[in-house]
Amino acid sequence: MNNNGKLWEIEAANYLRKKKYKLICANYNTRFGEIDLIVKNKKNICFVEVKQRDISSLAQPKEFVTSSKQQRIISSAELYLSTNKTDLQPRFDVIEIYTKNNKINSIKHLENAF
């Protein structure tokens, strides 16, 4: 991943902290793929994919979380949960970061994105 990708993940983590989520892990890697962020709140453990696009882009960031990408995240989350027991309900979220001139214009948190 390039440095901008890491920057967007840091921004997403900061955004979620402000919404009272606690960061558990960033860049969780498995043989299936990577989960950008794992966070939790009182009810959920959330596996979060972070996607950034320029506001002039014709497609929304969430459109780049393809079904094959979703399946890799789900498989990675299952592996995480098999070794990290929790009573929290799992959830899959997407953080969309819209930028203009490489600066954040807005952030959208899509809960239960898939």
Side-chain angles (χ1 to χ4, degrees):
M1 171 179 293
N2 63 31
N3 287 336
N4 278 348
K6 294 286 184 202
L7 172 66
W8 305 133
E9 289 174 7
I10 291 167
E11 293 292 341
N14 289 336
Y15 174 83
L16 289 168
R17 273 191 205 99
K18 290 176 187 171
K19 290 180 69 177
K20 306 294 185 212
Y21 287 83
K22 182 178 187 237
L23 180 65
I24 297 172
C25 184
N27 306 115
Y28 178 74
N29 281 294
T30 72
R31 66 181 183 267
F32 304 112
E34 179 187 77
I35 299 173
D36 291 335
L37 301 172
I38 302 173
V39 298
K40 69 178 182 177
N41 62 16
K42 290 180 181 177
K43 295 181 186 176
N44 301 99
I45 182 166
C46 306
F47 301 93
V48 182
E49 178 69 9
V50 178
K51 288 294 183 189
Q52 172 273 331
R53 290 294 176 267
D54 190 86
I55 59 170
S56 64
S57 176
L58 296 176
Q60 296 176 314
K62 67 181 176 185
E63 294 177 61
F64 294 90
V65 186
T66 63
S67 59
S68 63
K69 176 71 172 172
Q70 291 173 18
Q71 191 53 56
R72 287 193 302 274
I73 293 169
I74 290 167
S75 295
S76 295
E78 288 171 343
L79 192 58
Y80 177 86
L81 292 170
S82 73
T83 58
N84 297 275
K85 301 298 181 200
T86 182
D87 291 330
L88 299 173
Q89 179 66 38
R91 191 176 77 199
F92 297 92
D93 296 356
V94 173
I95 295 284
E96 294 184 318
I97 299 179
Y98 292 91
T99 59
K100 183 175 183 177
N101 299 323
N102 223 23
K103 291 189 176 23
I104 293 177
N105 184 277
S106 66
I107 298 177
K108 189 185 287 186
H109 180 192
L110 307 172
E111 296 179 3
N112 285 314
F114 59 93

